[in-house]
Amino acid sequence: MTCQLGILVGVHRSFPMSCSNQVFDASVKKILVDQFGRSHTDLRISVTDRCNLRCGYCMPLDASFLSQQKLLTYGEIVRCARVVSEMGVQTIRITGGEPLMRPRLFELVGELDRLPNIQEVALTTNGLLLGSQAADLAKSGLSRLNVSLDSLDEGRFEKIARRSGLQQVLEGLEEASRHGFQSIRLNAVSIRGLTEKDIVPLATFCREHAFHLRFIEFMPVDAEGTWSHEDVLTGEEVRQILGKSFGELIQNERSDPGQPSIDYTYADGSGVVGFINPVSQPFCDRCDRLRLTADGQFRNCLFSTTDWDARALLRTGGTDEELQVLLAACVNAKHFSHGIGTESFQRPSRAMYQIGG
């Protein structure tokens, strides 16, 4: 749902924002703090909705994609990132779709890394194209990699991804390991009745290769609308399975209050495993994220039902000050929680691949 409210800043423009009878005067608000006191220091930027896999929890088999004209250019992305960084954002994660399908992505990484207020640029990828691009990404300033990998079994990999390519992902991880990234994480979605057999093999693999493994609960952003609570394999259940094979897991102190993962160290000290539990243990109270979709829409929550149209502003001569107003309005409209499991919860109209992971 999108509502149009006018804000006078230089010239009159209509900005999509929350449905309120009161116009939010954001013209003097230069920091991204919402009405619940949460500061927003992390921006997720999707550079494409296209992907070379078809994971059921993310996109349909017959997905349709944005035209090139609707995608933000790299210049437009950098401008948005610069303005956001001047309002307090310190870290950027590039997502998709599959971001490595966007040509010469390392050039965008380099431009984002050179922004004076940005402390870290990271990337989430499925790893299929990582082998040929890892060197350029490392040289451009990319510090952290998240690689989505749900199974080390070829059959289950293909069942989940609905494409082949496991060996290509493993080769990409091997190549990335050679290039000195500050951190390489593996993200695995946990789905009841499908991924239980993959938990221990993934943990063993990550312990052997010094990768940080994180299990993510299945969320209601699947394009085919099949999600149900019964499909959620909770983080606590995964932790119990790991405990039976590796012994007690020792919870780490949280170094970053905004991080979604609850991290544990294995009792023998050989590795860290994290659990992102948005369904069973929501972390909305400490959420510090904003999202920019590939077609230039700001979103204040993965499950938001409203977009704030930055692309229209950028392409009609909008000023940086007007972009700040748009961002402040977006943050001000953020709800306290996503509401999964409540009667008021509404599934977003966009699926994960259309929003950005």
Side-chain angles (χ1 to χ4, degrees), residues 185 262 317:
R185 295 170 173 167
I262 303 172

Side-chain angles (χ1 to χ4, degrees), residues 3-9 11-29 35 308 325-326 328-330 332-333:
C3 296
Q4 300 293 325
L5 297 177
I7 299 179
L8 186 63
V9 181
V11 296
H12 184 277
R13 294 181 185 273
S14 292
F15 295 105
M17 55 171 54
S18 63
C19 294
S20 169
N21 292 326
Q22 181 178 4
V23 174
F24 172 58
D25 181 8
S27 59
V28 297
K29 188 171 183 180
Q35 58 187 317
W308 281 259
V325 171
L326 184 76
C330 174
N332 187 69

Side-chain angles (χ1 to χ4, degrees), residues 65-319:
F65 301 113
L66 295 165
S67 66
Q68 188 68 32
Q69 292 73 26
K70 290 184 177 180
L71 296 177
L72 289 187
T73 66
Y74 284 174
E76 290 169 334
I77 290 172
V78 172
R79 183 181 174 194
C80 286
R82 176 180 55 76
V83 170
V84 172
S85 72
E86 291 168 356
M87 300 177 77
V89 163
Q90 301 171 2
T91 58
I92 291 174
R93 178 169 296 281
I94 299 171
T95 70
E98 172 44 50
L100 295 183
M101 293 184 72
R102 188 83 185 253
R104 302 183 69 81
L105 185 70
F106 66 90
E107 294 181 352
L108 175 63
V109 170
E111 290 194 62
L112 295 173
D113 185 62
R114 286 189 289 273
L115 292 174
N117 297 324
I118 296 301
Q119 299 177 6
E120 176 182 283
V121 180
L123 171 75
T124 295
T125 172
N126 63 30
L128 283 174
L129 302 176
L130 186 56
S132 61
Q133 299 189 42
D136 285 335
L137 290 168
K139 291 176 185 176
S140 69
L142 189 75
S143 56
R144 295 181 184 270
L145 275 175
N146 280 7
V147 178
S148 300
L149 180 60
D150 302 313
S151 179
L152 293 168
D153 177 85
E154 184 67 53
R156 276 193 300 280
F157 179 95
E158 292 189 19
K159 184 174 183 178
I160 295 168
R162 299 188 288 195
R163 294 286 192 277
S164 60
L166 174 60
Q167 188 56 41
Q168 198 171 336
V169 176
L170 296 178
E171 291 170 0
L173 282 167
E174 183 177 355
E175 181 65 17
S177 296
R178 298 193 185 108
H179 291 285
F181 291 102
Q182 183 179 340
S183 170
I184 298 178
R185 295 170 173 167
L186 263 61
N187 289 344
V189 176
S190 300
I191 303 175
R192 189 179 304 281
L194 180 60
T195 65
E196 287 91 342
K197 293 181 180 179
D198 298 298
I199 294 169
V200 172
L202 281 169
T204 300
F205 176 77
C206 289
R207 279 158 57 92
E208 291 173 349
H209 292 84
F211 297 146
H212 180 169
L213 175 62
R214 301 192 303 181
F215 291 97
I216 304 173
E217 291 178 345
F218 182 26
M219 294 179 285
V221 281
D222 58 309
E224 293 169 344
T226 61
W227 181 92
S228 72
H229 272 283
E230 288 71 28
D231 296 323
V232 179
L233 183 63
T234 68
E236 175 60 27
E237 291 174 291
V238 174
R239 188 163 67 88
Q240 291 176 4
I241 291 171
L242 290 173
K244 291 177 181 177
S245 293
F246 302 107
E248 180 186 7
L249 298 179
I250 303 167
Q251 186 170 344
N252 298 351
E253 291 187 10
R254 184 177 281 114
S255 57
D256 176 4
Q259 75 177 44
S261 176
I262 303 172
D263 291 341
Y264 291 78
T265 298
Y266 295 98
D268 61 6
S270 59
V272 176
V273 60
F275 303 91
I276 299 177
N277 306 328
V279 179
S280 67
Q281 293 179 292
F283 41 86
C284 303
D285 62 317
R286 61 181 189 274
C287 180
D288 64 353
R289 297 181 184 178
L290 291 173
R291 296 174 184 272
L292 180 61
T293 65
D295 59 344
Q297 309 299 307
F298 276 109
R299 296 172 69 90
N300 56 31
C301 177
L302 179 61
F303 300 98
S304 175
T305 56
T306 306
D307 291 336
W308 281 259
D309 193 350
R311 184 185 65 191
L313 187 60
L314 294 169
R315 295 182 180 180
T316 56
T319 65

